Amino acid sequence: MNYAFLITGDKMAAYTTSSASKKPTNVSINAELLAKAKSLDINLSATLESALKEQIRLKEQAQWLKENSKAMDAYNQFVERNGTFSDSVRKF
């Protein structure tokens, strides 16, 4: 069994506050896709922000896993050799 510990802090709070300022920007979008989104009343800004938050979360998670892979590997090897600290007291 492999054990991985992921960050669950409030790191995304900086990106999700409703009081954060908005900055206009230009993006290039497939014209047909843009027309379809407009016809369906899709809020482009909200959709882009949501997609960016998810991409940031995934990239930061991958970065954290890469940065901490040696420690996780060492812990997994320790558990394979010695078991977990609670092995002697658990009933399952």
Side-chain angles (χ1 to χ4, degrees):
M1 179 182 296
N2 287 333
Y3 294 87
F5 299 97
L6 300 178
I7 297 173
T8 59
D10 205 9
K11 198 170 190 177
M12 287 298 295
Y15 310 122
T16 59
T17 58
S18 60
S19 63
S21 64
K22 302 281 183 169
K23 181 172 173 63
T25 189
N26 293 324
V27 295
S28 297
I29 300 174
N30 174 299
E32 293 174 4
L33 190 61
L34 179 60
K36 186 66 173 177
K38 284 185 175 185
S39 75
L40 295 171
D41 293 323
I42 294 173
N43 181 324
L44 295 178
S45 295
T47 302
L48 175 59
E49 283 185 10
S50 178
L52 282 174
K53 287 176 193 175
E54 179 62 10
Q55 286 300 305
I56 289 168
R57 185 189 70 77
L58 291 171
K59 293 283 186 173
E60 287 180 339
Q61 180 184 42
Q63 181 180 352
W64 187 92
L65 288 169
K66 183 178 178 181
E67 291 170 355
N68 292 280
S69 65
K70 287 182 182 177
M72 290 186 294
D73 289 342
Y75 180 75
N76 287 334
Q77 289 174 11
F78 176 87
V79 169
E80 284 181 27
R81 282 191 312 268
N82 306 298
T84 61
F85 298 115
S86 64
D87 283 346
S88 63
V89 294
R90 68 181 178 186
K91 304 288 189 225
F92 55 92

